[in-house]
Amino acid sequence: MGASSDNVTGFILAVSSSIFIGSSFIIKKMGLKKAGATGKRAASGGHAYLREPCWWFGMISMIVGEIANFAAYAFAPALLVTPLGALSIIFSAVLAHFILKERLHIFGVLGCALCVVGSTTIVLHAPHERDIHSVKEVWELATEPGFLIYGCLVVVVVCILIFYYVPRYGQSHLIVYVGICSLTGSITVMSVKAVSIAMKLTFEGNNQFVYFQTWFFTIIVIGCCLLQINYLNKEWDTQDASQIATEVCGFVTILSGTFLLHKTKDMGNKPIQTPVFTAPEHEDNSTAT
């Protein structure tokens, strides 16, 4: 994608975002533990953590990280920024090992390593992103039939997870909360990209907030972020950081493996050319005589 100044700025913002967000998970986990010791746990529907200063400090750290991530989308393509978000998982796993004393076993370490390899592969081999000059262009892409179908499927699956699986399996199966946050996050990325482009163009003198599309994407971002924060709190209250890092990195490893298989599927299909040996020409002439 080229090491342009905008890409370098986006890269630095994305990495700093991962550091802030990864730290916020640990700080909020500490706040959730303190709140759970004196009141109803978040996983059981309690909100005692809202009175815990440590949790709010972690929330501030997350907000700073999300602002940096938000700004990164304005400077660099989503194909560069999004995979770097995996660094927050690794950073939080390392901090949990030393601060929360949550042991990260060998499979978690392997998962983190493969997570880095997968993210690096995606970043290095990502195609060039289309240049977007207006929020209306993002709106045109978002209203194409393919994305509309995908968006409807995401809404349906998230509703099924929230209203059917969370009450029954939420506290025992981490994948329920991860599924809600991940599916919602796929919509959040598109909306954040649109809003960040709108803000960047507005600061450059081309006001994008006169279009209703900008406000629509803003509402989507706020709604998705609130939903993700709610279920992230439940997720971190029921599991420790090493379990979350292991399972999420394992999930990313599967995606990375699928990506690598897809990229290399045709490498072994090239026909093997068997060498053909022919007799020298002078030998053929001597035989004929």
Side-chain angles (χ1 to χ4, degrees), residues 22-31 92-93 95-96 99-100 236 241:
S23 302
S24 72
F25 289 149
I26 304 304
I27 300 172
K28 289 199 298 180
K29 176 72 173 182
M30 295 170 61
S92 63
L95 288 180
I99 297 177
L100 300 179
W236 279 88

Side-chain angles (χ1 to χ4, degrees), residues 213-262:
Q213 291 93 337
T214 303
W215 295 105
F216 178 82
F217 286 126
T218 302
I219 294 173
I220 294 297
V221 170
I222 295 173
C224 290
C225 288
L226 290 176
L227 182 66
Q228 289 175 274
I229 289 173
N230 180 53
Y231 286 101
L232 276 174
N233 285 328
K234 296 178 182 294
E235 174 185 329
W236 279 88
D237 193 38
T238 56
Q239 303 285 339
D240 59 52
S242 61
Q243 288 176 306
I244 294 173
T246 301
E247 296 189 29
V248 174
C249 287
F251 179 71
V252 175
T253 300
I254 294 173
L255 295 182
S256 303
T258 304
F259 171 78
L260 291 174
L261 287 173
H262 177 73

